[in-house]
Amino acid sequence: MGSRTWVDDTEVSVRAPSLSKAGEAAAQLKVTPFDTHTNGDTLQWTPSSWTTKPIKQDVIYDDRAAVSTALAKLERCPPIVTPMEICKLKERLKDVALGKAFLLQGGDCAELFDYCNSDMIESKIKLLLQMSLVLIYGAGKPVVRIARMAGQFAKPRSSPIEQYNGRTITAFRGDNINGYSPEERNPDPSRLVSAYFHSAATSNYIRASLSSGIADLHSPLDWELGHVKEECIKAKYETIVNSITESLRFMKTVGADSAASSLETVELYTSHEGLLLEYEQSLTRQLKTPPSAHQPQAHTNSTHTSEPKQYYNTSAHFLWIGDRTRQPNGAHIEYFRGIANPIGLKVGPSMPASELVPLLDILNPSHEIGKITLITRYGASKISSLLPAHISAIQASPHDGTVIWQCDPMHGNTRSTPTGTKTRHFESILSEVSDAMRIHKEMGSFLGGVHLELTGEAVTECVGGSEGLDEEDLEGGGYKSFCDPRLNEKQALELAFLVAGGFREK
């Protein structure tokens, strides 16, 4: 299949990108809802074996040819991340699982293509850096930083439709699916390609910024604490800031910083929810495993050994499975079980403790340490009754000591104001993190990280905190999110201070 065009007054044939057989399977599914009578039993994993399984949160497009064109383009695009970077993150997460490091993951609820600009990218990098320094001080261990950036476009929705001016329209599913304007709600497969290029541009600018010194600790950091109204709380924060500042000044004075390249830049990895499997499949490549990541091999007398290869999702370093798409026999679990990336699994109130270990048996049958991050999201009022059973289930299984326990205190604490505005209370967010730390300690476990929806912008979406924001402030024009409410830069940093204080007390 191709088209014809003119070059220097000569008509020539232009061949359209061809789509792989795996891509054809995905393209067909995208225009034809899954047949529940299809045999979903798969003996061997492939990047497209998920198409034989029932799927949740699916997107159905009108135009098969447009889907095929988009997927063919994606299959030809270069990776956004590399196996070397992915394997380096796996080593860092192994340390987290063993209690030698702490995981900070944060970023937008749902990125927009418009967020792909230097100011917004830099503000999130700087915020994650400051939060990580505070957590390093509190936990007394290195912090692994993962951003919800460069691909976090799609969002699962409780309903695929909504009412607008008396008519039913498709819900906004994210910039990589449809537009926020009611006139742009029809799913458009060309947005998959746009998502790739916006993700690649964001990742490129993150790398460029880090290599150019945006995270250089020799430069002064802005620790402005004027928003903290209570003097006793402000004094605690200032104590932490002064300690961090004095430590950096001491290293500079004795010359320890001149040889420490770690003070000039940091590692920052990217992540998103692996929701659109046709997109993820198109960027899944069988690539050589970096030498440093090779598993020990049994001795052989063979003089010829092929270099090992694995399937890597090259759209991000880290991907997670959402609470709505973790069905044991579902398409998402089938896809995720075959990729070499470290992965997250959302664990919410709807997951029975008896279901957790069987899921890990599918996703991590070799019990690789740090491969799986369990992202718990219960809500402040439910965590005490639900988390202990999930911890006990893991402790009684072969996966004990292999997983990372990460607290997501955002999703279980969303509520609506009387006017219908979604928000979250800072106190509820803090309460869930604090209870997670306490429960893990009581059960002989430990909290390995936090997962936050935040922005480096001065938005007003969550209420509470030292700024004293209340529900009336939500109507003042500072509410910018097109999906769920995020912590602003002051609330996010304040949460880091409080979590750090919890570690110091422990």
Side-chain angles (χ1 to χ4, degrees):
M1 179 183 293
S3 61
R4 305 190 72 80
T5 188
W6 293 86
V7 178
D8 294 333
D9 297 326
T10 303
E11 186 179 19
V12 297
S13 176
V14 179
R15 182 176 296 276
S18 59
L19 187 60
S20 67
K21 290 183 178 180
E24 289 287 352
Q28 177 60 36
L29 185 64
K30 293 293 99 182
V31 295
T32 306
F34 181 82
D35 182 356
T36 56
H37 299 291
T38 299
N39 181 8
D41 295 331
T42 313
L43 295 177
Q44 182 177 1
W45 184 90
T46 68
S48 63
S49 58
W50 63 269
T51 62
T52 68
K53 300 283 188 175
I55 187 168
K56 299 289 187 181
Q57 296 289 321
D58 199 16
V59 179
I60 302 299
Y61 300 96
D62 294 333
D63 188 342
R64 164 67 186 272
V67 175
S68 296
T69 298
L71 298 186
K73 175 63 176 176
L74 290 173
E75 287 184 343
R76 297 173 64 246
C77 287
I80 297 176
V81 302
T82 68
M84 181 66 76
E85 294 171 335
I86 293 170
C87 290
K88 185 179 290 187
L89 174 59
K90 292 178 76 170
E91 286 298 312
R92 303 293 185 264
L93 292 177
K94 182 178 180 180
D95 285 342
V96 176
L98 295 174
K100 299 177 181 179
F102 190 78
L103 173 59
L104 169 63
Q105 190 168 4
D108 289 296
C109 167
E111 283 181 282
L112 299 179
F113 291 163
D114 284 346
Y115 294 174
C116 183
N117 66 72
S118 59
D119 289 342
M120 298 190 77
I121 295 171
E122 287 180 9
S123 68
K124 281 190 277 282
I125 294 174
K126 292 176 181 178
L127 177 58
L128 290 171
L129 172 62
Q130 282 189 292
M131 293 177 69
S132 66
L133 288 177
V134 174
L135 292 171
I136 289 170
Y137 166 84
K141 60 182 69 172
V143 169
V144 179
R145 307 166 187 87
I146 302 180
R148 290 173 56 115
M149 290 173 67
Q152 178 53 18
F153 299 113
K155 288 293 292 183
R157 305 311 296 258
S158 57
S159 174
I161 58 175
E162 63 186 31
Q163 297 299 312
Y164 175 77
N165 287 345
R167 60 189 178 98
T168 300
I169 62 174
T170 301
F172 175 58
R173 299 284 301 275
D175 259 0
N176 58 347
I177 298 174
N178 55 7
Y180 187 75
S181 169
E183 288 70 37
E184 298 179 315
R185 294 298 178 89
N186 196 44
D188 179 1
S190 70
R191 285 177 172 268
L192 296 172
V193 179
S194 295
Y196 168 86
F197 285 107
H198 282 87
S199 298
T202 299
S203 291
N204 181 64
Y205 191 71
I206 290 173
R207 291 189 181 98
S209 296
L210 292 176
S211 65
S212 299
I214 190 175
D216 190 345
L217 296 184
H218 297 97
S219 302
L221 295 170
D222 179 15
W223 295 101
E224 197 276 313
L225 298 172
H227 65 282
V228 182
K229 297 180 179 180
E230 295 188 33
E231 289 300 322
C232 60
I233 297 177
K234 186 175 182 178
K236 290 182 180 180
Y237 296 169
E238 288 176 340
T239 298
I240 296 176
V241 170
N242 290 337
S243 179
I244 294 171
T245 304
E246 286 301 320
S247 297
L248 294 173
R249 185 180 295 118
F250 174 77
M251 293 185 69
K252 183 177 181 180
T253 301
V254 300
D257 66 334
S258 59
S261 61
S262 60
L263 293 181
E264 297 176 355
T265 188
V266 298
E267 294 174 358
L268 179 63
Y269 300 95
T270 60
S271 68
H272 63 258
E273 179 177 353
L275 193 61
L276 295 186
L277 296 183
E278 64 272 24
Y279 177 84
E280 306 303 344
Q281 171 189 312
S282 300
L283 290 168
T284 300
R285 312 286 165 81
Q286 190 175 27
L287 301 170
K288 293 178 182 179
T289 302
S292 61
H294 288 174
Q295 297 295 320
Q297 300 293 319
H299 176 72
T300 175
N301 292 324
S302 172
T303 58
H304 173 73
T305 56
S306 60
E307 293 189 51
K309 292 184 177 181
Q310 291 180 291
Y311 281 100
Y312 295 92
N313 182 310
T314 63
S315 70
H317 301 105
F318 179 101
L319 297 98
W320 71 86
I321 305 165
D323 200 42
R324 294 186 175 101
T325 55
R326 52 167 174 73
Q327 295 74 28
N329 193 44
H332 289 80
I333 294 296
E334 171 63 22
Y335 169 77
F336 271 81
R337 77 178 178 91
I339 59 175
N341 304 59
I343 59 179
L345 177 66
K346 286 291 186 85
V347 179
S350 63
M351 178 184 282
S354 60
E355 189 177 292
L356 181 54
V357 172
L359 279 173
L360 296 190
D361 290 340
I362 298 171
L363 295 170
N364 189 23
S366 63
H367 308 133
E368 180 183 350
I369 299 174
K371 166 74 174 182
I372 305 292
T373 297
L374 297 178
I375 310 168
T376 60
R377 41 144 298 173
Y378 306 109
S381 64
K382 298 179 180 179
I383 183 172
S384 295
S385 62
L386 296 172
L387 178 57
H390 286 138
I391 294 176
S392 295
I394 295 298
Q395 290 177 330
S397 79
H399 299 280
D400 186 31
T402 69
V403 302
I404 296 169
W405 289 99
Q406 186 185 40
C407 177
D408 167 5
M410 309 297 293
H411 287 88
N413 293 304
T414 306
R415 69 177 196 82
S416 295
T417 67
T419 60
T421 303
K422 286 201 295 185
T423 190
R424 291 160 173 159
H425 277 269
F426 183 88
E427 289 69 22
S428 298
I429 294 169
L430 175 61
S431 174
E432 183 161 357
V433 177
S434 300
D435 283 347
M437 295 175 69
R438 173 183 57 80
I439 293 168
H440 277 290
K441 181 180 179 181
E442 291 173 352
M443 299 192 66
S445 177
F446 60 89
L447 181 66
V450 290
H451 188 121
L452 306 170
E453 290 186 341
L454 53 81
T455 176
E457 309 302 310
V459 302
T460 306
E461 298 169 1
C462 293
V463 297
S466 295
E467 289 182 278
L469 298 176
D470 57 30
E471 293 182 1
E472 292 183 358
D473 294 314
L474 301 176
E475 312 300 327
Y479 200 105
K480 306 294 184 182
S481 176
F482 286 79
C483 194
D484 289 337
R486 304 159 294 177
L487 295 169
N488 63 31
E489 84 285 10
K490 294 178 180 178
Q491 291 169 325
L493 190 56
E494 180 179 356
L495 184 65
F497 279 126
L498 294 170
V499 172
F503 275 116
R504 301 291 285 192
E505 292 173 4
K506 184 177 70 170

